[in-house]
Every structure is written in C-alpha cells, then in structure tokens.
Amino acid sequence: MGDVRRGGASGEARPESAEDLTEVSDFFRALGKQIKLLRERAGMTQKELAGHVGYTEALIGAVERGKRTPQPELLDAADKLLDAGGLLSIAKEDVQRAKAKARVRHPAWFRDYAGLEEEAIELHDFSMVDVPGLLQTEAHARAVFAMRQPLLTEEVIEMRVAARMARQEILTRWPRAIFSWVIDEGVLHRPLGGADVHAAQLRRLLEVGQTRGMVIQVLPLDRTEHAGMDGPFILITPKGRPQNAYIEVQTSSRLISDQEEVRILNARYGTLRAQAHTPQESLSLIEKMLGER
C-alpha cells in the first residue's frame, strides 16, 4: 500500500479545533483597509480599480474585507495606480509569510491535502453531496459550516470560511492549472443557505464554467448507470509529483498515493465524464434552473 494518510490523531477522527490565527486575520484585514483607503483617496471605485488591475470587482471587494489574499502582482499594480509610494509593494513578503502561516486555518486532517492543492497543476473533482469547495461562494460556505453538527463556534466558522475562500486563489493563477468538475445534478437542486444564497451559487458555477480552461459537467439524475456510487473523490497532481487521490466521508479522510488505487479512480472519473452532460449542456441546465427561480 502506498502513502495513505488519515485525519486526526487516532487515524480516524477529524476533530475541529479553534486555532488562534487572529494575528494573520488581522494582518489581511489591515492590508485590505489600506487598499480601500488608498482607492477612495484616489477617487476610484472597486469596479474601476478592478478594471485597471485585471481583477473582478467582487475579488477587489473580498481583498479589501480581508477575505482574500492579495497576490504580489495586485499589490504592485495597486501601489503604482494608487500612488502608494511603495506602501503596498513592500508588504509582499509579509503576505507570503502570512499565507504560509494561514494554512493552519484548515483543520489538521485537511492540511496535507491543502498543501497539495496549493501546488496543483491538475485537479479533477467528482461531487455528489455539495458544491466543491473551490467553487463555493462565501455565503454558501458560511451556510455549510453553520449547519455542521456538532455546532461550530462563530470564530471557527469565520476561520473556515476565510480558509476556503483563500484556497480559491489557485483558480486565478497563471499559467492556469487544468481543472474539471463533475457535479451530481442533485447538488444543484439542494438550496443550502436559502433561495438567494443558492441562486448566487448557481451564478458562480456559470461564471466558472464559462472561464477558459475550467470545465464543469453535470451528471443528470435520469442516468441508469452511475460510475460514482461509491462516493465523491478528488484527483490532484502537484507540480513535479505523481497524482494523488483524496476522499472524505463523515469523520474520516484519506489522502492516497498508491498508484493502483489512483488508477482505478482515474478510470471511474473518465466514465463519469462520459455519463455526464457535455460542458455546454451542463451550463444550459444551470441557466435553465436560474430562469425558473
């Protein structure tokens, strides 16, 4: 058997702990406030700044709230554009150190996978319970963590939400990794967080699915064959390393490097993609669901 790592000290449990990362969170919030202050001083809206630096308005807003980590190129561009005199550019090294420390915002059982994900050059995800974490909106993620049993504290919920949003930075990097997701149609009918949160989540799926290099496929409910009945899984290839697989179920998680197990999951994923709607059919289905709301 290859390297199979299980979450928790016992090798099975996935305990939730409230790690103290106030210093990291405060740093990102303070840096975001500085960007906002400089932007407003320059008489510029979030949309205008986003257009100049090549980000989306929503991403600029998340950075200013301390919910997303500003990339070095954003700090350099904003520093020049907002006439910050080096105030933002000089923070790049501090941001990198904070990002490394912020990894512990993830629960202990998830950190090995999170480390691989950050280095990923290829990622394929089959989901049949919830929207994949990399595609979740902030409101959807917050709703999911808030309904966790046993209940999490508000502090832990916000920590988990921030960590999940930070993971999504890999979707904005260039050169872009290869991404694909196969999502069971049942997930799209589950309005977690309420109607408004769910509608925004469907729009987010459309946005990602229309992005070059990212493929979303929906596995329809009427299929008489389903290659993923053993449950969801992720195939991930870190740079310069063999492909791994990751599985979560209830209180257990597995990070698998045994190449025979990975090969089998690869074969299943290929079948799932063949059984699913095409990418365009999938986006059309999501658009139809939004139109019916």
Side-chain angles (χ1 to χ4, degrees):
M1 192 72 161
D3 180 23
V4 178
R5 283 162 277 183
R6 298 179 184 269
S10 69
E12 296 180 359
R14 301 190 314 177
E16 299 286 354
S17 58
E19 298 92 345
D20 181 10
L21 283 159
T22 303
E23 182 181 344
V24 172
S25 299
D26 286 350
F27 170 67
F28 286 130
R29 279 195 294 269
L31 185 57
K33 287 179 180 178
Q34 286 182 341
I35 295 172
K36 180 179 180 180
L37 178 64
L38 290 165
R39 174 181 60 76
E40 291 178 341
R41 188 184 68 177
M44 194 175 296
T45 66
Q46 288 182 349
K47 184 176 182 179
E48 289 170 337
L49 176 58
H52 284 295
V53 299
Y55 274 45
T56 65
E57 181 180 0
L59 191 54
I60 293 295
V63 167
E64 291 186 352
R65 296 193 307 275
K67 299 296 185 181
R68 295 290 292 271
T69 308
Q71 296 298 307
E73 59 270 20
L74 171 62
L75 292 173
D76 283 336
D79 191 283
K80 183 177 180 180
L81 188 64
L82 302 177
D83 194 24
L87 179 65
L88 299 179
S89 292
I90 202 172
K92 288 187 295 185
E93 291 185 5
D94 293 319
V95 167
Q96 292 302 112
R97 285 192 291 269
K99 282 175 63 177
K101 187 175 180 181
R103 290 181 189 174
V104 301
R105 287 183 296 185
H106 298 297
W109 53 265
F110 189 73
R111 289 176 201 158
D112 285 342
Y113 170 79
L116 290 181
E117 185 181 74
E118 189 167 342
E119 304 170 13
I121 58 172
E122 190 171 339
L123 186 148
H124 307 288
D125 186 329
F126 166 57
S127 180
M128 59 187 304
V129 178
D130 192 12
V131 174
L134 288 178
L135 304 181
Q136 290 180 9
T137 65
E138 183 175 330
H140 181 104
R142 183 171 288 106
V144 170
F145 286 122
M147 65 183 72
R148 179 73 59 82
Q149 296 290 334
L151 295 176
L152 304 177
T153 67
E154 291 299 321
E155 179 184 6
V156 171
I157 289 172
E158 291 307 311
M159 190 182 299
R160 296 288 181 262
V161 171
R164 182 157 293 181
M165 295 301 101
R167 285 173 53 207
Q168 295 179 6
E169 290 172 14
I170 68 170
L171 302 180
T172 67
R173 292 178 187 165
W174 198 264
R176 179 170 289 144
I178 298 171
F179 292 104
S180 75
W181 296 269
V182 175
I183 304 173
D184 193 272
E185 184 182 345
V187 172
L188 305 183
H189 292 284
R190 189 170 294 119
L192 299 182
D196 291 342
V197 170
H198 188 56
Q201 180 61 72
L202 292 178
R203 287 193 293 270
R204 172 60 177 160
L205 293 178
L206 277 179
E207 177 187 355
V208 174
Q210 293 167 347
T211 301
R212 186 163 60 96
M214 299 190 187
V215 177
I216 293 178
Q217 292 179 256
V218 177
L219 184 62
L221 291 172
D222 63 2
R223 290 292 188 259
T224 58
E225 293 189 5
H226 189 312
M229 293 304 293
D230 284 348
F233 58 90
I234 298 173
L235 296 165
I236 184 166
T237 307
K239 186 175 183 179
R241 299 168 63 182
Q243 188 175 61
N244 285 250
Y246 179 71
I247 300 171
E248 282 184 26
V249 58
Q250 293 295 335
T251 58
S252 297
S253 62
R254 296 180 63 201
L255 184 59
I256 307 166
S257 63
D258 180 83
Q259 290 304 291
E260 179 60 16
E261 287 194 67
V262 173
R263 183 192 66 78
I264 291 170
L265 290 173
N266 251 307
R268 288 180 185 170
Y269 192 77
T271 304
L272 283 165
R273 294 195 70 174
Q275 293 171 340
H277 285 310
T278 67
Q280 189 54 55
E281 290 169 343
S282 299
L283 295 182
S284 295
L285 174 62
I286 297 171
E287 288 176 339
K288 181 181 178 182
M289 293 179 67
L290 274 168
E292 292 174 349
R293 301 193 66 81

